[in-house]
Amino acid sequence: MPLFDRKDKSRYATFSRRTLMMGGAVSAVMLTLGGRLYQLQILEGDEYEAKAEDNRINQRLLAPLRGRILDRFGVELANNRRNYRVLLIPEQAAQGVDQALDTIGRVILLTDRDRQRILHDIAQNKKFVPVTIAENLSWDEFARVNLHLPYLSGIQPDVGETRDYPYSTALSHILGYVAAVSPDDKKNDDDPLLDLPGFRIGKRGIEKQFDEQVRGTAGVSRVEVNAYGRVIRELGHDPGTPGSDIYLTIDQQVQDFVAQRLGDQSAACVVMDASNGDVLALASTPGFDPNLFNVGITPPQWHDLLNNDHHPLMNKAITGAYPPGSTFKTAMALAAADNGMADLTVNCTGSMRLGDHTFYCDAWRIGGHGHVNLPRGIQVSCDVFFYEVARRLGIDKMAEAANAMGLGLPTGIELPGEVGGLIPTRAWKMKRFGVPWQPGETLVSGIGQGYVLTTPIQLCTLAARLATGKAVVPRLTHQIGSTLEPRRPPTPLPFSEQAFSLVRQGMTMAVNAPGGTAYGWRINQPGLEMAGKTGTAQVRRITKEERASGLKPQSEMPWKDREHALFISFAPADNPRYALAIVIEHGGARNEPQVEFARDIMLFTQQRDPLKMRAAYPLRAAETTTSFQPKVGG
Amino acid sequence: MSSRPYAAARRTLSLSERLLEVNWGLVLLITIIACIGFAMLYSVAGASLHPWALPQIIRFLIGLAILVGVAMVDIRFWMAAAYPAYAFSLLLLVAVEVAGHVGLGAQRWIELGPLEIQPSELMKISLVLALARYLHTQSVEDVSRPLKLLIPLAMIGVPAAFVLLQPNLGTATIIVADGLSLLFLAGLSWWWILPAITGVVAAVPVAWHFLHDYQKRRVMTFLNPASDSLGAGWNISQAEIAIGSGGATGKGFLQGTQSQLNFLPEKHSDFIYTSVGEEFGFFGSVMLLALFSIVIAYGVRIAMSSRSQFGRLLAMGLTLNFFFYIMINAAMVMGLIPVVGIPMPLISYGGTAMLVVMFGFGLLMSVHVHRQVEIPRGSAGII
C-alpha cells in the first residue's frame, strides 16, 4: 500500500487555498484595528487629548447614609452617629511621619498595633493620601486634638458617619451588626460601594436580612486633581440615595425589660401580639454589643464571645432547637379533643407500662395523679394521661397536629439563619436511621421529649395560636422605607372551638388553680391573669439506677446537665392579647425560674399595653392613604 | 502510486542540526515584542520593576527555555502526545469545576503543588494538538461526512461548554474559534459552513437569554457606555481616552497620565495595550500590530512549508490562536467589542498565559524544525 496518495495531494491543495483565505481575513482584521487606531488617535486625537486633560476631574464614590432601624413607636434602635476621626497626610508632616505620630500620641492614645497599621497604610499609599490615625474618638479627645492642632503638622481632624446602636446589648440579636466587607460578601454583590475603604455591610440580624434596603445607593464626588492626582478642589457632590428606614414591630421598652429580666441566663424569650403575630420582643441572652463589630472587635473580645458556654453570638430564639417538654402537651391535647378524647379520663398510678418498658410520670413518687381528665392533665402536667393520648393518636397524627400549630417548621421570621426544629414521623425515622418507629417513642414524643425539637419563636407561635385559634404567623418588620409589608389575615386552624376551649381551660388552671404547675407565680391583678403551660426538657437520660437510688436535685448537677426550663403563656387568660414563650437553658436548678420571669414580663407588658398605644406606623393598610409622617423619637 | 520518500523522513535529526534549524529570527521577534511588554509594565508601575516587570521578565526567560526545549522534540512525539494531553486538560477543566479556586467570582484556577494552573489556557493548546491529530487522518471528503464530523465537534464543544460554565466567555470564544478554524482549514465543505453561519446569526437572541447577568451588563455597557459611567462603562471610555489622547506620536515613555493616575483599570493585564497607545501614539501602537502581523506571517509560512498535514494544521492552529488573542484584546480596549477577560499575548502581565503562549511557539518551532518529516495518513505519530 502506498504511503501517500491522491487524497493527500488534494487536501494539501485545499489547505493552501484556505490558509490564503484565512490570511486574508487576518489582514482584514489587522487593517480594521489599525483603522480604529487611526480614528481614535489621528482623527479624534485632539478630542481625546482634551478629555484626558478633563480626566484631571476624578470621580470618587461616597457612601450613602445607612437607613435607620426603628421600633414600632419610632424609637431609633440603629442610627448613624458622627464619627470623629484624625487623619494624617504624610507629606505634610514637617518633621516626618514618626515625629508626627509621637506628637499625636501625646494627645490621644496610640497603641503599638495602631502605629504598625498606620505605617503600613502610609507605605501602601501615595504621600498625599490621608491615612486614618484614629477613629470613633470621644468629643473630649477630638476637642483636644483640635486644641493642639497648631503644633500637629500633617494632622487633619475629620468628621464622618458611622453606625450606632444606642441600646447596645438588649437588641443585639434582632438588629445584628455591621462590619467590614469580606471577600465572600463581594462574590454575589457587585455594588461598587463594597470596594470603598471602610465601608460596612450588615452581617447578622435585620442588618443582614435587609442590607440591600438600608444600604442605599452610592453618591459621587467630583474632584479636580492635578497631573499627579492630588485633589485640588471639589467640583460637584451627589450624596447618593440614603438607605430606607425600617420599622420593626418591636417595642423597645418591652424588649429592654425582657433582656434585663433574663439577665445573664442562657435563655430566650419571645413576646408577640397574639392576634396578628407582631413580635413585641425577641430576646436571646447573653447578648453582645453590636457596636464592637463596627469599631473593630479586638481578638480577646472575639475569643470571649466565641468561647463563652452561654453562646452570646447565637440567637437562641430562632436558632436554638430545644425539646419542648410538657409545653408540647397543649398541641397533643388539641388533637386528642378532636379525636374522641374530649371526655377521656385516665387513672394515673405514677407510671405506665408498654411492652417491657415502664414510662414514668413526674408524680410517681407520690403514687400518681389519680383520675385525670384533659384540662386537669394540662393543669398538673400528667405524663401518664398524655402517654395514653399519644398511644391512641399515633405519631403521624401527633406530628400533623404539631405542624398545624407551627412547631417543627421555620416560621419565616425576617431574620437570617432560622432553624426548623423537628417533629418526627414514621417516614422521617425510616429515612434518617433506617429502622422502624417504636411504640415507646410515640409515648416519649407525646410529652415533648425524644426526637421532638422546637425553637422559642415556634413555641410563642404555638401560644398565640392556642390563644386565638387562628394560624397566626410571627413577623418582625412592618414598614420598609415607605412600603408597608403586606399582612395576610390569619386563617382558621383545623381544630374545633371546643378543643381550644378545653386546652385554654387547662392552661388557665395550670397557672391560676391550686395544684397547677405554675400556681405559685400567678398574676393576682384581676383582668391581667395569664394562662400557660410549663415544660422541662431533659438534657440527659435518667438511668434506672438513678431512679432507684432517688433523683439528685437539679441544683446539685453540673450546669450543662441540668434540664432546660420552658414556659408558654398567653394573657389575659379570658381574652388573650399577648403571647409569650420562654426557654432557660439548663434552668432547672431552682423551681420554675422561667415562670417567674414570664409572670414579670407578662405583667409589665400588660401594664404598659403597647397594643393600645398609637404606633409610629399605620397599623392598618387603609391608613396609608392618608398622609403619614413617621414620628421620630420615643 | 507511491510518493518519493525523502531522506529526512527516514532519519532523525541530531540535536545540533535541530538547533541550527530553529528559526532564530522568529525568536528574536518574539523577544522584541516581549521587551515592549516589559517596558509597559515598568511604566504602569510608576517607573518601577516591581511589582510586575521583573516577574514577567523571569517568566519570559523560563518561557524561552520552554520554547527551545519544545522545539527540539520530534513532531511525531507531539502527535502521539496529542490525545493524552487533551484528556489531561479536559480532566483538569472538570476538576476546576468541582474543586476550583474561586477568583473574581469565576472558577478558573486549580492548584497543582506550588503551581496555579488555568486549565482553560492548557485546553487551547491541547485542543489544537488533538484536532490536528484527528484531522491528520481524515481526507477532505472524510472531514465533511456527518458522522465523522461529530467527533471533532464534540472535541470542541465539551471543553468550550466547561469553560463557559466557569464562566469565561472570552476563552470559550477562542476555543470555539480555534477549533472551527482547523475544521475550515482541513477542508470542511461550504455546504456545512454557510448554513452554520446563518444558524449562528439566527441564534444570537437565544444566546442572549443564556448569558450571565454580568455578561449582559457588559454588552449593554458596550452599546451604551454612558449608562454605567462609574462601573464597566467607565473602563471602556477611559481606555478609549487613553489610546486616543496618545495622538500620532504619543505622550512619551512614562508620561501617560491615564495609566499613571490610575484612571485605567487592570492597566497591567488586560488593558495594557491602552498604555502603548497612550505613551507611543498611533505609530507605536500600529508598529506593535505590525510586529504581531509579522509573527503571524511567520506562522503561516511555517504551516505552508510543513510536509505533514498534522504539522500544517498544528502550525496554523497555534498561529490563529495567537491571532485571536490579539484580535479580541485589541478590539476590546479600542471599544469595538464588549469587555471580556482576554490578555494581550506577550505583553499583558500573567504567569500561565505567558508560559502557555511560549509553549505554543515551541510547538510552532517544532513544526518548523521538523518540516521535512512526512507522516502517513494512518500513522499514530509514534517515532
Side-chain angles (χ1 to χ4, degrees):
Chain A
M1 186 186 154
L3 212 52
F4 298 98
D5 55 21
R6 183 181 286 119
K7 284 184 172 174
D8 288 301
K9 284 205 168 150
S10 105
R11 71 177 182 175
Y12 183 46
T14 305
F15 177 83
S16 305
R17 206 167 49 240
R18 294 215 169 167
T19 299
L20 279 181
M21 286 186 211
M22 272 287 185
V26 169
S27 311
V29 168
M30 285 298 186
L31 283 177
T32 309
L33 293 176
R36 173 68 172 164
L37 283 175
Y38 185 79
Q39 181 196 6
L40 285 174
Q41 299 186 299
I42 306 291
L43 298 181
E44 297 168 5
D46 294 344
E47 204 176 302
Y48 280 114
E49 211 177 320
K51 276 192 185 168
E53 267 319 283
D54 275 351
N55 247 346
R56 307 259 167 105
I57 296 162
N58 206 334
Q59 303 207 43
R60 296 189 180 197
L61 229 47
L62 297 176
L65 215 51
R66 201 170 167 85
R68 298 173 303 165
I69 303 175
L70 306 102
D71 87 343
R72 60 167 46 214
F73 301 118
V75 177
E76 290 183 349
L77 307 179
N79 55 20
N80 303 293
R81 70 172 160 77
R82 306 208 132 196
N83 175 12
Y84 298 109
R85 306 186 288 185
V86 176
L87 309 175
L88 171 69
I89 303 166
E91 65 170 9
Q92 289 179 11
Q95 281 94 37
V97 169
D98 282 317
Q99 182 66 41
L101 289 181
D102 286 344
T103 322
I104 187 81
R106 283 196 281 274
V107 183
I108 54 172
L109 183 74
L110 279 188
T111 63
D112 283 350
R113 254 182 51 153
D114 292 338
R115 255 187 111 101
Q116 264 174 24
R117 179 193 55 78
I118 294 163
L119 291 174
H120 174 82
D121 285 358
I122 291 173
Q124 290 289 303
N125 289 296
K126 296 198 170 166
K127 291 267 169 268
F128 53 80
V129 176
V131 167
T132 307
I133 299 284
E135 276 192 295
N136 298 301
L137 295 177
S138 69
W139 172 247
D140 276 355
E141 289 172 309
F142 192 65
R144 215 153 56 223
V145 171
N146 279 287
L147 185 69
H148 290 86
L149 208 53
Y151 315 105
L152 300 167
S153 67
I155 296 289
Q156 197 177 65
D158 182 77
V159 184
E161 295 276 349
T162 189
R163 197 61 156 172
D164 189 39
Y165 304 99
Y167 295 98
S168 150
T169 314
L171 288 129
S172 49
H173 290 111
I174 298 174
L175 301 178
Y177 55 82
V178 294
V181 181
S182 73
D184 271 0
D185 297 328
K186 290 187 194 168
K187 256 185 237 160
N188 303 314
D189 193 341
D190 62 354
D191 190 335
L193 277 173
L194 298 193
D195 292 322
L196 213 59
F199 192 72
R200 298 284 191 267
I201 189 174
K203 295 282 190 173
R204 272 174 206 259
I206 292 286
E207 291 275 29
K208 177 176 183 178
Q209 186 86 4
F210 297 102
D211 189 63
E212 208 176 295
Q213 288 89 338
V214 290
R215 187 190 295 171
T217 52
V220 171
S221 157
R222 286 168 193 281
V223 290
E224 186 178 334
V225 295
N226 68 7
Y228 302 101
R230 181 171 306 159
V231 177
I232 307 291
R233 63 194 162 112
E234 188 175 49
L235 299 173
H237 187 96
D238 164 14
T241 319
S244 305
D245 287 347
I246 294 192
Y247 282 84
L248 302 182
T249 58
I250 294 290
D251 178 359
Q252 182 268 329
Q253 298 265 331
V254 177
Q255 174 76 23
D256 204 44
F257 184 84
V258 172
Q260 297 245 353
R261 197 68 190 83
L262 296 182
D264 55 3
Q265 298 271 1
S266 182
C269 178
V270 183
V271 181
M272 64 172 70
D273 179 340
S275 69
N276 58 18
D278 278 1
V279 174
L280 294 165
L282 185 147
S284 171
T285 55
F288 54 86
D289 182 357
N291 291 305
L292 283 182
F293 292 89
N294 186 20
V295 301
I297 191 163
T298 63
Q301 285 170 328
W302 176 242
H303 182 267
D304 285 354
L305 284 177
L306 225 50
N307 293 295
N308 188 328
D309 64 353
H310 284 38
H311 303 295
L313 287 175
M314 174 181 172
N315 185 355
K316 301 179 184 93
I318 61 162
T319 64
Y322 306 94
S326 300
T327 60
F328 195 63
K329 290 172 183 169
T330 53
M332 293 303 99
L334 273 180
D338 278 351
N339 281 281
M341 285 175 262
D343 302 316
L344 174 72
T345 304
V346 172
N347 185 15
C348 169
T349 57
S351 65
M352 175 175 179
R353 278 195 76 77
L354 187 81
D356 51 2
H357 275 282
T358 306
F359 294 86
Y360 288 93
C361 182
D362 263 357
W364 68 280
R365 228 173 321 197
I366 54 163
H369 291 110
H371 289 279
V372 173
N373 65 2
L374 195 148
R376 186 162 158 74
I378 295 174
Q379 183 201 359
V380 299
S381 199
C382 177
D383 288 348
V384 169
F385 181 84
F386 284 96
Y387 290 148
E388 179 62 19
V389 166
R391 196 181 63 76
R392 293 197 191 185
L393 281 174
I395 186 63
D396 288 338
K397 242 182 199 158
M398 289 158 60
E400 204 177 295
N403 288 152
M405 293 308 281
L407 302 177
L409 302 166
T411 61
I413 189 83
E414 306 96 310
L415 287 174
E418 188 189 7
V419 301
L422 175 72
I423 302 296
T425 60
R426 285 170 202 285
W428 168 81
K429 194 180 174 202
M430 202 40 142
K431 200 171 155 225
R432 176 77 175 72
F433 295 107
V435 284
W437 186 260
Q438 300 299 315
E441 291 171 331
T442 307
L443 268 51
V444 174
S445 302
I447 59 164
Q449 306 275 7
Y451 301 115
V452 186
L453 289 175
T454 58
T455 60
I457 183 100
Q458 289 170 6
L459 290 173
C460 190
T461 308
L462 167 68
R465 290 184 180 189
L466 288 167
T468 58
K470 297 225 170 63
V472 173
V473 177
R475 61 170 211 164
L476 201 50
T477 49
H478 192 97
Q479 186 178 334
I480 294 168
S482 52
T483 326
L484 274 182
E485 289 293 279
R487 180 203 288 283
R488 274 168 305 158
T491 51
L493 285 162
F495 301 102
S496 67
E497 189 42 46
Q498 187 217 0
F500 276 113
S501 66
L502 276 174
V503 176
R504 282 182 212 132
Q505 187 195 338
M507 290 173 72
T508 308
M509 284 157 59
V511 183
N512 299 300
T517 51
Y519 181 66
W521 301 274
R522 65 195 175 280
I523 294 176
N524 274 323
Q525 253 131 307
L528 302 185
E529 296 92 347
M530 67 175 179
K533 179 75 200 78
T534 54
T536 48
Q538 282 169 20
V539 174
R540 53 189 283 276
R541 183 177 284 276
I542 300 171
T543 63
K544 228 177 221 156
E545 296 78 57
E546 279 178 315
R547 199 176 284 281
S549 64
L551 294 178
K552 225 198 264 186
Q554 289 277 324
S555 54
E556 288 173 20
M557 291 188 180
W559 180 75
K560 273 279 171 200
D561 288 346
R562 291 177 199 162
E563 293 165 338
H564 296 320
L566 298 91
F567 188 61
I568 61 170
S569 165
F570 54 81
D574 52 354
N575 176 28
R577 299 171 59 224
Y578 296 99
L580 169 149
I582 183 169
V583 175
I584 300 183
E585 283 191 345
H586 313 294
R590 59 199 178 93
N591 274 338
E592 317 292 359
Q594 82 280 23
V595 189
E596 189 185 330
F597 290 175
R599 175 197 62 191
D600 295 349
I601 292 165
M602 272 304 205
L603 193 57
F604 176 87
T605 308
Q606 291 188 85
Q607 282 170 341
R608 174 173 161 79
D609 210 0
L611 298 187
K612 278 244 175 78
M613 300 160 69
R614 193 183 174 323
Y617 51 72
L619 279 167
R620 284 184 303 278
E623 289 176 45
T624 52
T625 49
T626 62
S627 74
F628 160 69
Q629 293 291 320
K631 191 174 74 181
V632 177
Chain B
M1 194 184 94
S2 161
S3 22
R4 190 165 59 88
Y6 286 82
R10 287 286 164 84
R11 67 182 186 91
T12 324
L13 296 167
S14 74
L15 185 63
S16 54
E17 279 173 311
R18 284 188 244 179
L19 274 174
L20 274 177
E21 280 296 327
V22 167
N23 189 334
W24 293 107
L26 178 55
V27 174
L28 180 68
L29 188 57
I30 290 170
T31 309
I32 290 172
I33 295 176
C35 286
I36 295 175
F38 306 151
M40 294 330 294
L41 290 176
Y42 177 79
S43 170
V44 294
S48 163
L49 284 173
H50 293 281
W52 299 310
L54 196 59
Q56 183 84 342
I57 292 172
I58 293 167
R59 283 175 194 150
F60 176 72
L61 292 176
I62 298 172
L64 267 186
I66 292 178
L67 188 158
V68 176
V70 170
M72 292 300 98
V73 178
D74 194 289
I75 187 172
R76 283 164 292 192
F77 170 82
W78 293 119
M79 189 167 175
Y83 288 159
Y86 178 84
F88 178 68
S89 303
L90 194 58
L91 197 73
L92 285 188
L93 209 50
V94 177
V96 87
E97 256 326 290
V98 180
H101 213 294
V102 177
L104 289 172
Q107 296 202 332
R108 295 178 185 181
W109 284 265
I110 194 161
E111 274 169 43
L112 277 191
L115 283 175
E116 258 190 359
I117 295 181
Q118 282 176 277
S120 53
E121 291 289 329
L122 294 182
M123 182 43 89
K124 283 179 232 166
I125 302 277
S126 311
L127 176 71
V128 171
L129 269 170
L131 273 180
R133 164 148 186 207
Y134 176 79
L135 294 170
H136 174 83
T137 61
Q138 309 291 308
S139 67
V140 173
E141 297 77 31
D142 286 342
V143 171
S144 297
R145 292 213 171 96
L147 280 177
K148 294 214 162 186
L149 188 55
L150 276 180
I151 297 167
L153 285 182
M155 285 164 74
I156 300 165
V158 172
F162 272 107
V163 173
L164 203 56
L165 270 178
Q166 283 183 347
N168 186 345
L169 184 60
T171 304
T173 309
I174 288 190
I175 286 177
V176 171
D178 284 349
L180 295 184
S181 310
L182 282 180
L183 283 177
F184 174 75
L185 291 170
L188 184 65
S189 161
W190 288 104
W191 289 108
W192 284 109
I193 297 169
L194 293 178
I197 292 174
T198 321
V200 166
V201 171
V204 165
V206 183
W208 173 259
H209 182 72
F210 285 102
L211 286 183
H212 276 258
D213 275 350
Y214 84 96
Q215 290 165 335
K216 285 187 194 173
R217 221 174 304 133
R218 281 182 189 174
V219 177
M220 291 312 290
T221 314
F222 163 68
L223 296 174
N224 181 16
S227 71
D228 186 14
S229 60
L230 286 176
W234 170 260
N235 296 1
I236 295 178
S237 48
Q238 290 303 325
E240 281 178 25
I241 291 174
I243 296 175
S245 65
T249 53
K251 297 173 187 168
F253 188 48
L254 303 180
Q255 304 300 313
T257 53
Q258 285 289 105
S259 42
Q260 309 288 341
L261 293 185
N262 285 324
F263 284 107
L264 286 176
E266 299 287 312
K267 57 185 181 185
H268 62 289
S269 58
D270 293 356
F271 279 82
I272 191 141
Y273 189 57
T274 55
S275 296
V276 178
E278 187 182 19
E279 299 195 349
F280 298 116
F282 178 67
F283 294 115
S285 28
V286 166
M287 201 187 47
L288 185 58
L289 282 187
L291 290 175
F292 279 134
S293 302
I294 298 173
V295 172
I296 292 166
Y298 262 112
V300 173
R301 215 188 75 183
I302 289 172
M304 299 288 276
S305 64
S306 173
R307 287 190 173 273
S308 62
Q309 181 75 349
F310 174 71
R312 293 192 281 256
L313 290 172
L314 180 59
M316 267 317 277
L318 294 166
T319 305
L320 287 172
N321 178 48
F322 182 70
F323 164 72
F324 288 136
Y325 267 100
I326 297 162
M327 176 179 87
I328 293 182
N329 181 275
M332 168 181 92
V333 299
M334 293 179 202
L336 292 174
I337 59 167
V339 174
V340 287
I342 293 293
M344 185 63 104
L346 296 173
I347 307 280
S348 288
Y349 178 80
T352 320
M354 171 65 89
L355 295 180
V356 169
V357 163
M358 293 304 275
F359 189 90
F361 279 123
L363 286 175
L364 184 66
M365 201 59 82
S366 174
V367 175
H368 177 73
V369 170
H370 304 95
R371 61 189 177 279
Q372 300 295 350
V373 174
E374 291 190 338
I375 311 170
R377 210 161 65 232
S379 167
I382 317 292
I383 306 165

